Amino acid sequence: MAGALEGVKILEFSEIIAAPFAGMLLSDMGADVIKVEPPGGEPWRLQAQFMPLESRTFMSLNRGKRGLALDLKTPEGKEVIYKLVPQMDVVIINYRPDTPYNLGIDYETLSKMNQRLIYVENTAFGRKGPHSYRPGYDIIAQAVTGLMAANGKTNEQGLPQAMSPAMADFSTGISICWAVCAALYAREKTGKGQKVEASLLATALAVQTGTFMDIDSVDAETQSIIRTRIKEARERGASFEEIQRIRAEARPMFGNAYYRCYFTKDGVVAIGCLSDALRRRAAAAMGIHDPRFEDPNWNPMDPESRSKGAKVVAEAEAVMRTKTTDEWVAIFDAAGVPAGPYRTIDELRSEPQVIENELIVDLEHPLVGHLRMVGPPLKFSETPSQARSASPTLGQHNDEVLAELGYDAATIAALRERGVIR
């Protein structure tokens, strides 16, 4: 059975994570994705190579694509792209902000060749504003958008640490995939292509919803106090750690006993209770007493309430160490409390829940041989997704793609000899 995007042709100018991840997901849904790389390979192919020009990072983000290694700085390289564009439905581009214009693959240039073209461009900070010209990667996006601050992790020196996996990059990849599907649907109604702009900045902010939201009637006084305290602290030369403590003091402290991980007798278990009913069930399952359930006027900002909350947490931590992880999971299951054991990736490769939901695929790579990886995340009853092939070797499909454009063997050989293709 054909995938949902069978017949859709995508030209992908990409590197690192966001756009490659999007292209891989679109390929899983049936699109014919041609990934364009410079003759030396894109940076992620060259990151921690375990054999020449092959790396785990590249292979994990580029399955199902055809590979075209092409020097876009040459007239002959541009000519290949300009012959491809009229046949394409979508272009995805994920380069530094000035690169598309320097290479002649910007929206204005390509859309003149194909008015039905959907052009999805991802930048770090968007096309407007004082930082629009700057390149950026996931760690920078996390730092400047508050994602890193929300993560709250620091190293032994007190320096903030990025989330892993790359939250801004991967969520932007999903956003690009969503944008392509929406733009294709719009084109079916209007017959017109369009430009879609994505950015790490926009996606990193979008996933923070409630954290970013500011409600005047609720937050104005608190925010004013925080800003004043931080300003005063900076004027007297306060450390980064002190300023972080000021911010933390403004956040309600509930004594987090119900949305966290616990040590058990033999491992770790996570529970997640995001309603009062679930918190009550969890307290009953653990056999702990929580005074907040008896006090309708409980105020999490009150110092006495914070102290009581801390005692509840300490009691829960002690109780959770009395049984094994399997025992606690069974207890929470019986009580209807969301819970699960802590697992590592190595364990998940043989986890029945993962296997039975067909979330692992086996592929054959031309150089590496057999590999296993996470499969398509979505299931369609009528247009199934599938991982059709492993990632391409550098320039693997050069001859195939050029032949489809009408290049004969002698011309292809001459392009290779001149270094236009690898």
Side-chain angles (χ1 to χ4, degrees):
M1 298 172 69
L5 297 181
E6 190 77 18
V8 172
K9 295 183 177 182
I10 299 176
L11 193 59
E12 179 189 310
F13 302 96
S14 72
E15 57 184 32
I16 315 298
I17 296 175
F21 185 48
M24 185 174 76
L25 296 177
L26 293 163
S27 170
D28 287 346
M29 290 191 283
D32 176 12
V33 180
I34 299 174
K35 181 184 173 83
V36 181
E37 296 182 70
E42 67 120 308
W44 227 221
R45 181 187 284 279
L46 309 177
Q47 173 76 11
Q49 301 171 60
F50 59 83
M51 69 186 316
L53 300 176
E54 297 296 338
S55 71
R56 184 183 301 271
T57 50
F58 180 87
M59 292 171 66
S60 68
L61 290 161
N62 289 283
R63 71 161 174 251
K65 304 174 186 180
R66 294 198 285 169
L68 179 62
L70 187 67
D71 188 351
L72 298 180
K73 296 178 181 178
T74 64
E76 298 95 333
K78 284 188 176 66
E79 183 182 3
V80 171
I81 295 303
Y82 294 164
K83 286 184 176 181
L84 276 170
V85 166
Q87 303 178 17
M88 294 293 114
D89 296 289
V90 180
V91 163
I92 300 174
I93 191 158
N94 185 49
Y95 289 158
R96 290 173 58 110
D98 57 338
T99 300
Y101 297 97
N102 294 338
L103 295 178
I105 53 174
D106 54 281
Y107 174 68
E108 291 77 13
T109 298
L110 300 189
S111 62
K112 291 176 183 176
M113 305 173 189
N114 180 354
Q115 293 185 353
R116 288 174 53 83
L117 186 69
I118 294 161
Y119 185 101
V120 184
E121 179 185 48
N122 181 51
T123 59
F125 301 105
R127 277 291 177 190
K128 296 179 180 179
H131 304 307
S132 59
Y133 71 94
R134 294 171 58 194
Y137 296 105
D138 180 86
I139 189 171
I140 302 169
Q142 288 195 35
V144 303
T145 62
L147 266 181
M148 197 177 291
N151 189 34
K153 293 181 180 177
T154 58
N155 65 11
E156 62 277 2
Q157 298 172 306
L159 283 169
Q161 299 294 288
M163 294 182 186
S164 181
M167 180 69 171
D169 262 331
F170 279 106
S171 55
T172 300
I174 294 171
S175 180
I176 292 171
C177 187
W178 151 48
V180 167
C181 294
L184 285 169
Y185 178 70
R187 194 183 69 178
E188 287 301 301
K189 295 188 293 182
T190 67
K192 296 180 180 179
Q194 62 179 303
K195 182 181 182 181
V196 180
E197 295 182 22
S199 71
L200 302 186
L201 168 68
T203 311
L205 291 177
V207 298
Q208 295 184 77
T209 58
T211 306
F212 188 88
M213 182 183 289
D214 189 29
I215 304 171
D216 287 349
S217 61
V218 178
D219 303 320
E221 183 178 354
T222 301
Q223 291 300 324
S224 177
I225 293 171
I226 294 170
R227 283 193 290 269
T228 299
R229 290 183 61 193
I230 290 174
K231 181 181 178 182
E232 292 172 348
R234 283 177 170 156
E235 286 175 349
R236 69 170 186 271
S239 66
F240 174 80
E241 291 84 350
E242 182 178 347
I243 292 172
Q244 290 295 88
R245 283 196 295 271
I246 292 172
R247 290 195 174 99
E249 288 169 6
R251 292 193 291 266
M253 298 296 291
F254 297 98
N256 179 18
Y258 306 107
Y259 197 86
R260 54 164 292 174
C261 290
Y262 282 103
F263 283 114
T264 64
K265 198 173 185 178
D266 64 348
V268 173
V269 68
I271 67 169
C273 303
L274 292 176
S275 71
D276 197 50
L278 288 174
R279 287 189 280 269
R280 288 173 183 269
R281 290 181 195 174
M286 289 187 282
I288 61 175
H289 175 253
D290 193 332
R292 84 191 70 193
F293 300 138
E294 303 160 2
D295 185 356
N297 299 314
W298 180 274
N299 179 8
M301 297 298 292
D302 180 69
E304 184 178 353
S305 296
R306 292 189 183 206
S307 177
K308 290 179 179 178
K311 290 179 181 178
V312 171
V313 169
E315 182 183 357
E317 288 175 342
V319 168
M320 290 297 294
R321 286 182 178 272
T322 64
K323 299 181 187 299
T324 67
T325 295
D326 287 345
E327 288 173 327
W328 277 119
V329 170
I331 290 169
F332 288 133
D333 280 349
V337 174
Y342 173 85
R343 293 282 187 259
T344 65
I345 290 295
D346 287 342
E347 293 172 308
L348 287 171
R349 293 191 186 102
S350 58
E351 167 61 42
Q353 192 67 28
V354 174
I355 294 170
E356 291 185 29
N357 280 282
E358 300 173 333
L359 293 173
I360 297 177
V361 295
D362 293 272
L363 298 170
E364 290 295 323
H365 187 275
L367 297 178
V368 175
H370 178 260
L371 60 89
R372 304 182 77 204
M373 64 186 300
V374 177
L378 299 176
K379 291 189 178 297
F380 295 77
S381 63
E382 301 301 321
T383 55
S385 296
Q386 62 173 323
R388 294 180 293 176
S389 63
S391 60
T393 59
L394 184 57
Q396 179 179 340
H397 300 97
N398 281 347
D399 290 22
E400 179 181 307
V401 172
L402 292 174
E404 290 172 2
L405 292 174
Y407 287 80
D408 59 30
T411 304
I412 294 172
L415 289 175
R416 182 171 287 111
E417 186 176 347
R418 292 199 296 272
V420 177
I421 61 173
R422 184 178 177 87

